[in-house]
Amino acid sequence: QVQLGESGGGLVQPGGSLRLSCAASGIIFSISDMGWYRQAPGKERELVAVITSGGSTTYADSVKGRCTISRDNAKNTVYLQMNSLKPEDTAVYYCNSRPAWNSPLRYDYWGQGTQVTVSS
């Protein structure tokens, strides 16, 4: 059984920080690419950041310089550190897992999301 469990969301003031966590089970974490996506009210889901099994990272332009994605393979956990938060960052944040390029498996798993609200 595959499960991606997000945590760390909450209500913060503009300019504040949060660290989101996603604990994965049921996958071989070390050979999975992990990503964070978000969906704001009335908007489509968008990529925030991705980290490959090899450690390469990619960020959306909207969060570049403010967010850092990282992974701890020993804990099967991916993190998203978010700083200098803006009201525009308000969204449900979802964890995603996909196979690495050299994996024989094909999957696309999603967590249920954690709410981030940035408001004064």
Side-chain angles (χ1 to χ4, degrees), residues 28-110:
I28 306 177
F29 186 84
S30 62
I31 59 171
S32 296
D33 294 345
M34 304 297 298
W36 286 98
Y37 293 72
R38 68 186 182 187
Q39 187 166 23
K43 294 187 176 182
E44 298 294 320
R45 185 183 297 177
E46 64 176 353
L47 175 72
V48 178
V50 64
I51 183 167
T52 69
S53 61
S56 299
T57 59
T58 302
Y59 298 93
D61 288 342
S62 59
V63 304
K64 199 170 298 180
R66 301 187 296 118
C67 293
T68 302
I69 188 171
S70 61
R71 64 193 295 157
D72 186 339
N73 287 352
K75 296 181 178 180
N76 283 7
T77 300
V78 62
Y79 305 94
L80 183 68
Q81 177 68 45
M82 302 189 293
N83 303 319
S84 302
L85 285 164
K86 306 173 181 179
E88 308 95 273
D89 296 317
T90 296
V92 177
Y93 285 70
Y94 298 91
C95 181
N96 170 255
S97 177
R98 294 172 182 172
W101 67 271
N102 59 341
S103 172
L105 303 176
R106 294 292 177 268
Y107 50 81
D108 189 2
Y109 298 121
W110 296 88

